[in-house]
Amino acid sequence: MSLNPSTAAAAAACDPARRPLADRYAAVRERSMALAAPLSPEDQCIQSMPDASPTKWHLAHTSWFFEAVVLQPHAAGYRPFDERFFFLFNSYYESLGPRHPRPQRGLLTRPGLDEVHRYRAHVDAAIAQLIERAGAELWATLQPLMELGLQHEQQHQELILTDILHALSCNPLLPAAQPQAAAPLHLAESVPALGWLELAEGAVEIGHAGADFAFDNETPRHRVWLQPCRIADRLVTCGEYAEFIADGGYRQPGLWLSDGWAQVQAQGWQHPVYWLAPDDPRAPAPHWQVYGLHGVRPLDPAAPVAQLSFYEAAAYAQWAGARLPTEAEWEAASALPGMRQATGHVWQWTRSSYDPYPGFQPWSGAVAEYNGKFMVGQLVLRGGSVATPPGHARATYRNFFPPAARWQFTGLRLARDAAC
Amino acid sequence: MSLNPSTAAAAAACDPARRPLADRYAAVRERSMALAAPLSPEDQCIQSMPDASPTKWHLAHTSWFFEAVVLQPHAAGYRPFDERFFFLFNSYYESLGPRHPRPQRGLLTRPGLDEVHRYRAHVDAAIAQLIERAGAELWATLQPLMELGLQHEQQHQELILTDILHALSCNPLLPAAQPQAAAPLHLAESVPALGWLELAEGAVEIGHAGADFAFDNETPRHRVWLQPCRIADRLVTCGEYAEFIADGGYRQPGLWLSDGWAQVQAQGWQHPVYWLAPDDPRAPAPHWQVYGLHGVRPLDPAAPVAQLSFYEAAAYAQWAGARLPTEAEWEAASALPGMRQATGHVWQWTRSSYDPYPGFQPWSGAVAEYNGKFMVGQLVLRGGSVATPPGHARATYRNFFPPAARWQFTGLRLARDAAC
Amino acid sequence: MSLNPSTAAAAAACDPARRPLADRYAAVRERSMALAAPLSPEDQCIQSMPDASPTKWHLAHTSWFFEAVVLQPHAAGYRPFDERFFFLFNSYYESLGPRHPRPQRGLLTRPGLDEVHRYRAHVDAAIAQLIERAGAELWATLQPLMELGLQHEQQHQELILTDILHALSCNPLLPAAQPQAAAPLHLAESVPALGWLELAEGAVEIGHAGADFAFDNETPRHRVWLQPCRIADRLVTCGEYAEFIADGGYRQPGLWLSDGWAQVQAQGWQHPVYWLAPDDPRAPAPHWQVYGLHGVRPLDPAAPVAQLSFYEAAAYAQWAGARLPTEAEWEAASALPGMRQATGHVWQWTRSSYDPYPGFQPWSGAVAEYNGKFMVGQLVLRGGSVATPPGHARATYRNFFPPAARWQFTGLRLARDAAC
Amino acid sequence: MSLNPSTAAAAAACDPARRPLADRYAAVRERSMALAAPLSPEDQCIQSMPDASPTKWHLAHTSWFFEAVVLQPHAAGYRPFDERFFFLFNSYYESLGPRHPRPQRGLLTRPGLDEVHRYRAHVDAAIAQLIERAGAELWATLQPLMELGLQHEQQHQELILTDILHALSCNPLLPAAQPQAAAPLHLAESVPALGWLELAEGAVEIGHAGADFAFDNETPRHRVWLQPCRIADRLVTCGEYAEFIADGGYRQPGLWLSDGWAQVQAQGWQHPVYWLAPDDPRAPAPHWQVYGLHGVRPLDPAAPVAQLSFYEAAAYAQWAGARLPTEAEWEAASALPGMRQATGHVWQWTRSSYDPYPGFQPWSGAVAEYNGKFMVGQLVLRGGSVATPPGHARATYRNFFPPAARWQFTGLRLARDAAC
C-alpha cells in the first residue's frame, strides 16, 4: 500500500548516499499507514481516555513533528499544509506554542481522515525534496533530526496499536482491531521452562554510548554497583498469573503496594483489564478469555501475561516470593547468553523509578522536552513488545509509564536477591 | 435521497387507508437521514458531553424504539437485525433491560455508519410489512404506537442538530454542520418593534385534550387561575442581549439566581456559549460573532438570542425589569392575535418548573418512562425552534431542560405583572 | 441559663411598649445558646458536609445578621466586635461583601467558642441599647428588621439541630446530640388510623396577607384553582415505610423519578439515611434501629418517618398508589378540621417546585437575597418539624430543600386525585 | 507539664537497667502533650485535608500503636481502654483490621480531648506496669517494639506541627500555632556564604548498619557508585528563592517537570504556599511575608526556604543552573567536614525516587506495613527539620513525600555535576 508515491520517487531520485535515509523514511511512514488501514474512519477518530489518542491524531502528530522540527526551521520556503495544524497536533511542547487540550483530541472530526492523509503526503513531499536538495552542511544538521522524527514515529506506531485496542475494548461488542494480523502480532508460544540467570556483585556499566541513535534519557553511559542476584530467563505467563488470581491475589492487601491496593479497591480490579472472567456477559464462555488485537480468544497459559499495571506486576512478584529486577539488573542480564524473551513480547516493569541518569543532559532546543520533563512519578520498563516496530528497541532503551497504566503490552520477569 | 427504497415501495403497495401513515413514516425516516447526510462518518460518531449523543446513535436509537415498542411486541416472527443492539441503543428505559452507559455512546465506532444504515433499512422493511399485513385489530393497536415512534424520531431530529452543533463547537476550527442549509435553518430577520399582549385575571384552561397526538405530559387539560399580566409579542434579540452584556450583566450577582451565579463564576460565563467575543483566537474579528449551523457569522442584532441557559434568560429578564412568563401565561397568550415568533425560532424558557399537571397519568407499559420520570429539576420551555421539525410542535407542547443547559435553540420572551 | 445578663437588664429598663420585643429578643437568643449547651467546643466546631454548618458558625452568623442588618446601618456609633467577622460570618449575601467559603466553615477553630459567646454578648448589648434609645421614627424602621433577625435566628435553631445530628451521624460511635432532651424532641406516638380529607374543585386563596410577620416568599396571597382531591389526615409512619423497604422499594426503578434512581444507584441507598439495618456493625441489633437526637433507638413503627429525601418520599407515594400533595392542596387542607400532625413532627415534601408566587416581589435592600434567589431546583415543604422552634411555623410557610437532601426532619403525607 | 504522674512513678520504681527506656518513654510521651498544649480542643479536632490529621488523632493514634504492637500481643490480661478505638485510631495497617476512613478523621469530636488524654494515661500506666513486670525474655522482645513505638511517636510529633500549621493556614485570621515558641522553632539566621563540597567518583557505602535503631527502609547498608559532583554546603534561602519568583520562575514552563507545570497551572501556584504576597488581603503589608508557627512575619531573606514541593525545588534548581542531589550524594556529603544545615532547618528534597534499597526486607508482622508499601510515587528527603524532635533524625534517615506535598518543612540544597 502506498498513498505516497512521490516519496518513493524522490528516494529513487536522490543522492545515493542519502538513499538509505530516504528509503527508511518511506518505510517508516508507510508502516504507520499500514497499521491504520484496517480501521474505519470512525475507529481512527475516537479517544477512549485522556491518556490515549486517536489513530488519526497519531498520523497527524507524527507529521507535525517533521514539520515543527525539520521543515519549519530548515526547509527554506516551506509552506505548511494548514497553519492551524500547529495548534491541533502539537502534543506537549510548551516551547512550540499553545495546543489543543489532550482530553479533547477525540472531538477532532475535522480535519477528516482524507485530509490527514493529504497532510501526510504534503509533509512527505517536502521531506523528499529536502533530502534531495539540502546542501552538505544542512544535510549534516538534518540527519539526526530526521532520525529522531522516525524514531518518534515508531514510538507512535506502538501507541496506535495500544490506543486503538483500548478504544475498542470499551465497546461491548469487543471487535478485533487487527483481525487479519498474523505472526507479528502473535503473543503465545509453547511454555518455556523457567531458569535463573546469575549476576555477580560489582560495578557494571549501563546506558548508551556511541554514534548509533539513542534517546537522551539513555545517556550517559555510567557505572553502577550491582548486588548479587538472579533473574528469570523468561517472562511470567498467563497460566502462572491465573494461579495468582485463583489464590486470591486480588484480595490480599499484604501483597500490594499501598497505592496499588487503593486502585484494586477503588476500581474493583479482579484480573488483568483485558481478561474476561468465565461469566463475562460480553462473550460468555466457561473459561477465561483474553481480549487482544485479534479480538476475544481463549486464555493461552503459555503466553506472557500482558496489559499489567506496575502494581499488579509487583503484587505478583511478591506473591511468587520474588521481586522485580532493577533496570540496571535487567540491562546487565540482557547480555547474558540464556536471556530469553528479552524483547518482542511485552515490555517488562522494573523496580526502578524513572529518574535521570547521573550526568543526564536533555537535548537542546525544542526537543529538550522530549524525555526529561517526565522524570517523576513513572516506572521504567525494559525490553520491547509485540507492538514495538522491528528494530526500534535496544538493551539500553528506557520505556516508562505511570504505575497504574494498564493499556500497554506490559508484563514482567522475576528477579531474586542472591541470598533468597 | 432514499436509502430505503423498500419503504416507499411498501407504502405504495399497502391498503389505501393505511397509506397516510406509511407515507408519513417514510417521510420522517428519510428526514433523519437527510439531516445526517452532510456529516462525515467521523462527525456522526463522536459525543462531546454526556448530555449529547452521536448522530449515528440517534439514527440507531430511533430505530431501536420502533423495534422495542412496535416490532418486538407486535410483529409475529420479527427477527431483530442484531440482538446486541437492544443493549447498545436503549436510551433510558429501565423496564426494557440493561443498556450501554450514556457517557460512552461516542465510543461505539462499531457498528459503523453503514451497518446502522442497514439496521434502519431492516426496521423500515419490517414496519412496511407490518403496515401491509396487520389485521384490523392489530392495526388499531399499532397506530398510536407508530405515531409515538414518529413523534419520538422527530424529537431526535432536533437533537441531531443541537448535538452535532455542540460537538463541532468543541473543534477550534469551528466547522459548519449544515453549510448548505437554507432558510429552514435561518434564524435572523429584521428586528420587530416590541409590543405587549395583555392577559386578564381569571380561570383559563391549558393542556391538551382531543384525539390528536400529544405527549402524556401535556394532559389532562385543566383549569388554572391567571393573574393579570402582559407578555411580549416577540422574542428577545441578540442586539438586546448584547446591551445586557455591555451593561455588565455577567458581573452583577444581584441579577442572577444563586445557582446561576455559581455557574457564572465556576464556568467563567461571559456571554452566550456560541458567541465569539471580538478577540476570539479561533476566528479573529473586530466585532461579535455567533457560531451556528452555518459556521461563524457576524452577530445579527435582529435575530432572536439562542443557546441561552435558563439562568441567563432569567438574569436578562431581571435586568430588563421584567420576568419570564409562566407556562400557563405562555399558552394562554399563544392564542392571542398579536403573538409573534411563537414557534420556529427558539424554544422559550418559562418561569415554570416541570411539575406534573394535576391529574397527570403517565402512559402505561414501557412508555410510562417517556416523560413522567423526568419531572423534577427541570424548567418548561414553550414554542418550538428553527431545529424543530415542521408540524411537530403545538401550543400545549411542554419541552423541558435543566436550568444550566446551553446547547439547545433556547431563548426567551419577556413578561410583566399587570401592575408593573 | 443566661450568658447575657445585660440583655435582660436592658429589657427591664426600656420603654414598656418596647418590652415585648426586648423580651422576645432575649428569649430567642437564649434558646440558641440552650440548644448548643449540651455540645462540646469540638462538636460545635466541625462541619460534616458543605450543606451543613458548625453550631458555632450558626451562633456567630445569627449575630452577624443583627450586626449587618440592624446595627451597622442604624445604630449610630456602633463599633463592631471584630471587623473581620463580616467576612467570616456572612453566609450568602453578595451585596454585603466577600465571605469565607461555605465548605470551609469547619476549619474556623478561631475564633474559639468563648470568643463567639463574647461576640453574641457584644451584639446583645448593642441591641439592648438600641431598643432603649432609638427615637420613635427609627424604632418604626427597626421593628421589622428586628423581627426578621429573630425569625432568621429561629430558622438557624432548626439547622443547629439538623446539622449537628448529621455531623454526629458521621461518627461510628453514633453519639447522642441531645441525650437529656425530653418531649419536645420526641417524635414517636401511638399510631393513628388513617383518614382522608376531601378538597373540592374550585378557586382558593393561598399565601400570606396581613400585618403579621411572614417571609417574602409567602406573598402575595393569590388565587389558585384546585382540582378535586383527597389528602391524608396524618403522616406516613416508620412502620409503613418499613413495608415499602421490605417490598423491595429501593430495588424497583419504576417507582422512582429518574434522578432519584440515579441517586439510589450511585449512593447505594437502601433505607432512610439514619436507619440502621439489623446487621449494622456500629450498633448490632436483631432489628431495625433509628439514629436521632437521642442516639440509637429501636425503630418506632408509629413514629412519622423522617430524614427522607424528596426522591424517597415520591417513590413511597408511587408505591402506595398515591402521590404527594401540591403546596396549594396542603395549605387548603391545613384549614380543615380533621388535619392532624400538620406541624411539630416533620416537614412534609410537596409535589410543588419552589417557584415564585405570581406577583412575587423580594424584599428590598440586602435582604432581597433572603429567599428569591433560591427559587430554582428545590421543592417546597410544608408544616414544621419537631426541631422547628415553637411558634415559628405557620400554614403559609414555604420551606424548601433540594430533592436529594436527607438530613432534615422531612417526611411525607399522601394525597390522591379524587377519581382514584 | 505532666498528665501522667503514674508514668514517672513507675519509671522510678522499676529495675534500674530498664530505667533509661522508661525515662525515655515518659519524655517522648510528655513531649507530644506539650506540643498540643497551646492548642484549643477545637484546634486539636479539625482536619484540613485528607493528608493531614487532627492533633487529637495523633495523640490517640500513637497510643493505639503501643496498644496494637506492644500491649495487646504482649501484656497478659491487658484490657483496652475502649475496644472501639482499634477501629477509630488505626492509620493504615490492613493486617490489624478495618479502620475509620482517613478523610473523616476531623469528624471525630467524640471521644473528646479529655477522653483521649485519659486514653493516653491508660496506655502509659499499662506500659509502665509492663516495663516493671516483664520477665527477662519478654523484655528482650519488648525493647525493639517499645523503641519503634517511641520513634513512631516522634514522627507524629513532627506531623502534629505541620498538620496544625496547615489547618490554621486555612483560617483567614492566620493565627499562630505556637505563639510562645522560642528558638527550637526558629528558622532564620544570618545568611551564610555559599560553598561547594566535592565528592569524588567511586564506590561508597550508604544505608544503616549496626545495633542502633533505624527504620527498615534505611537497610541494608550497601555499596553505590558515585559520579564526581559538588554539593552546596548550605540550604537555599528565602532571599534566593524570592529572586527566582521575581525572575518569573512560576511563569516559565521550561523550568518545570511536566507534572509540576500542570500543578502550577491547575492550582495557580505563584509562590510558596505559606508566603503572602505584598497585597494579600489577610494581612496587608508592603512587602513579602511568611506564615509559620509564630504567625505572619516579614520574609527573612536569610532563612532557608520551606514548605516547598519537590516540583518547586526542582524548578528552582533548574533555574539556578544546578540540580538536586541524589540521596546517595547527600548521605556521602553529610560526612564531609564543611556540611552545614544538614539537619534542624528543613528536610531537603533529593532527586531520588523512594525505591527500595537492594536487598531491602521489610520488618515482619504487622509492622511490615510500616515503610515498604509506600515505595512508589514518592521522593526521598534527607536531613531533618526544625520540627523534627531532637535526636530523631540521622544521616541515613529516608523521609519521603509525594512530589506535590507543600505542607512540610521541606526545602532544598543544590548540587552540580563535576563538569558543570
Side-chain angles (χ1 to χ4, degrees), chain C residues 39 41-43 45-48 56 84 87-88 100 104 106-113 168 170-173 175-176, chain D residues 39 41-43 45-48 56 84 87-88 100 104 106-113 168 170-173 175-176:
Chain C
L39 302 170
E42 292 147 286
D43 291 336
C45 185
I46 63 161
Q47 179 177 34
S48 50
K56 186 174 69 177
R84 300 173 303 177
F87 177 83
L88 289 182
H100 188 65
Q104 296 180 25
L107 299 182
L108 297 176
T109 60
R110 323 278 179 97
L113 185 56
L168 295 179
C170 299
N171 189 322
L173 307 182
Chain D
L39 303 170
E42 294 147 285
D43 290 337
C45 186
I46 62 161
Q47 178 176 35
S48 49
K56 186 174 70 176
R84 301 173 302 178
F87 178 83
L88 290 183
H100 188 64
Q104 295 181 26
L107 300 182
L108 298 176
T109 60
R110 322 279 178 99
L113 185 57
L168 296 178
C170 298
N171 188 323
L173 306 182

Side-chain angles (χ1 to χ4, degrees), chain D residues 112-295:
Chain D
L113 185 57
D114 286 346
E115 194 171 355
V116 166
H117 287 173
R118 288 195 298 276
Y119 176 39
R120 288 182 67 87
H122 176 89
V123 167
D124 290 346
I127 290 284
Q129 199 179 53
L130 187 62
I131 293 176
E132 195 181 335
R133 300 186 187 171
E137 191 176 356
L138 177 56
W139 180 244
T141 301
L142 287 179
Q143 269 180 303
L145 296 174
M146 291 282 293
E147 183 58 33
L148 175 59
L150 294 173
Q151 296 282 346
H152 171 259
E153 182 139 355
Q154 287 184 309
Q155 292 185 306
H156 280 274
Q157 286 172 357
E158 178 145 8
L159 296 176
I160 284 175
L161 291 174
T162 56
D163 289 357
I164 191 63
L165 188 57
H166 185 269
L168 296 178
S169 79
C170 298
N171 188 323
L173 306 182
L174 289 177
Q178 302 275 341
Q180 310 90 342
L185 294 171
H186 175 69
L187 262 182
E189 55 185 49
S190 68
V191 61
L194 177 72
W196 293 93
L197 308 176
E198 305 225 344
L199 287 172
E201 180 166 8
V204 297
E205 288 204 337
I206 67 166
H208 179 82
D212 290 348
F213 177 84
F215 288 107
D216 54 1
N217 62 6
E218 302 169 50
T219 65
R221 188 165 177 83
H222 62 286
R223 208 164 285 180
V224 299
W225 192 273
L226 290 191
Q227 317 301 322
C229 71
R230 291 176 294 160
I231 191 163
D233 70 346
R234 67 154 171 84
L235 304 174
V236 170
T237 65
C238 287
E240 290 165 337
Y241 199 84
E243 291 176 47
F244 166 70
I245 298 173
D247 193 40
Y250 283 84
R251 295 191 303 271
Q252 300 178 43
L255 299 174
W256 295 78
L257 286 159
S258 181
D259 286 356
W261 183 244
Q263 290 281 329
V264 168
Q265 293 188 292
Q267 310 294 331
W269 289 359
Q270 298 185 344
H271 50 70
V273 63
Y274 289 167
W275 288 30
L276 286 77
D279 58 349
D280 193 294
R282 294 170 297 172
H287 47 74
W288 285 96
Q289 299 175 102
V290 178
Y291 175 67
L293 291 163
H294 306 83

Side-chain angles (χ1 to χ4, degrees), chain D residues 270-326:
Chain D
Q270 298 185 344
H271 50 70
V273 63
Y274 289 167
W275 288 30
L276 286 77
D279 58 349
D280 193 294
R282 294 170 297 172
H287 47 74
W288 285 96
Q289 299 175 102
V290 178
Y291 175 67
L293 291 163
H294 306 83
V296 176
R297 299 222 170 153
L299 181 143
D300 177 352
V305 60
Q307 274 84 37
L308 282 198
S309 65
F310 169 78
Y311 296 130
E312 290 164 296
Y316 176 87
Q318 179 78 7
W319 174 80
R323 61 169 174 83
L324 300 176
T326 66

Side-chain angles (χ1 to χ4, degrees), chain B residues 102-419:
Chain B
R102 179 169 191 150
Q104 295 180 25
R105 290 176 183 167
L107 300 183
L108 298 176
T109 59
R110 322 279 179 98
L113 185 57
D114 286 347
E115 194 171 356
V116 166
H117 288 173
R118 288 194 299 276
Y119 176 40
R120 287 182 68 86
H122 176 90
V123 167
D124 290 345
I127 290 284
Q129 198 178 55
L130 187 62
I131 293 176
E132 194 180 337
R133 301 186 187 169
E137 189 176 357
L138 176 56
W139 180 244
T141 301
L142 286 179
Q143 268 180 303
L145 296 174
M146 290 282 293
E147 183 58 33
L148 175 59
L150 294 173
Q151 297 282 347
H152 171 259
E153 183 140 352
Q154 287 183 310
Q155 292 186 306
H156 280 274
Q157 287 172 357
E158 177 145 9
L159 296 177
I160 284 174
L161 290 174
T162 56
D163 289 357
I164 192 64
L165 188 57
H166 185 269
L168 295 179
S169 80
C170 298
N171 187 323
L173 306 182
L174 290 176
Q178 303 276 342
Q180 311 90 341
L185 294 171
H186 174 69
L187 262 183
E189 55 185 49
S190 68
V191 61
L194 177 72
W196 293 93
L197 309 176
E198 306 226 345
L199 288 172
E201 180 167 8
V204 297
E205 288 204 339
I206 66 166
H208 179 82
D212 291 347
F213 177 85
F215 288 106
D216 55 0
N217 62 5
E218 302 169 53
T219 65
R221 188 163 176 84
H222 64 286
R223 207 164 287 178
V224 299
W225 192 273
L226 290 190
Q227 317 302 321
C229 70
R230 292 177 293 161
I231 190 163
D233 69 347
R234 66 152 171 84
L235 304 174
V236 170
T237 64
C238 287
E240 290 165 337
Y241 199 85
E243 291 176 46
F244 167 70
I245 297 173
D247 193 40
Y250 282 84
R251 296 191 303 272
Q252 300 178 43
L255 299 174
W256 295 78
L257 287 159
S258 181
D259 287 355
W261 184 242
Q263 290 281 330
V264 168
Q265 294 188 291
Q267 310 295 331
W269 290 359
Q270 298 185 345
H271 50 70
V273 64
Y274 290 166
W275 288 30
L276 286 77
D279 57 350
D280 193 295
R282 294 170 297 173
H287 47 74
W288 285 96
Q289 298 175 101
V290 177
Y291 174 68
L293 290 163
H294 306 81
V296 177
R297 300 223 170 152
L299 182 143
D300 176 353
V305 61
Q307 274 83 35
L308 281 197
S309 65
F310 169 78
Y311 296 131
E312 290 164 297
Y316 177 87
Q318 179 77 8
W319 173 81
R323 60 170 174 82
L324 300 177
T326 65
E327 62 170 323
E329 289 167 351
W330 193 98
E331 189 170 328
S334 72
L336 297 181
M339 183 80 157
R340 288 183 291 178
Q341 299 181 320
T343 188
H345 294 78
V346 292
W347 290 98
Q348 296 144 55
W349 288 107
T350 72
R351 195 58 181 85
S352 298
S353 293
Y354 180 47
D355 287 340
Y357 278 172
F360 165 68
Q361 291 297 332
W363 289 321
S364 58
V367 292
E369 300 185 52
Y370 202 96
N371 278 310
K373 74 179 185 181
F374 301 110
M375 288 179 173
V376 69
Q378 314 216 42
L379 280 293
V380 174
L381 299 110
R382 291 303 193 100
S385 86
V386 68
T388 310
H392 178 68
R394 69 202 139 259
T396 61
Y397 202 105
R398 303 179 83 198
N399 199 356
F400 52 92
F401 278 96
R406 297 180 104 197
W407 88 109
Q408 297 295 313
F409 286 96
T410 46
L412 78 154
R413 173 188 303 276
L414 295 176
R416 281 194 176 129
D417 293 330

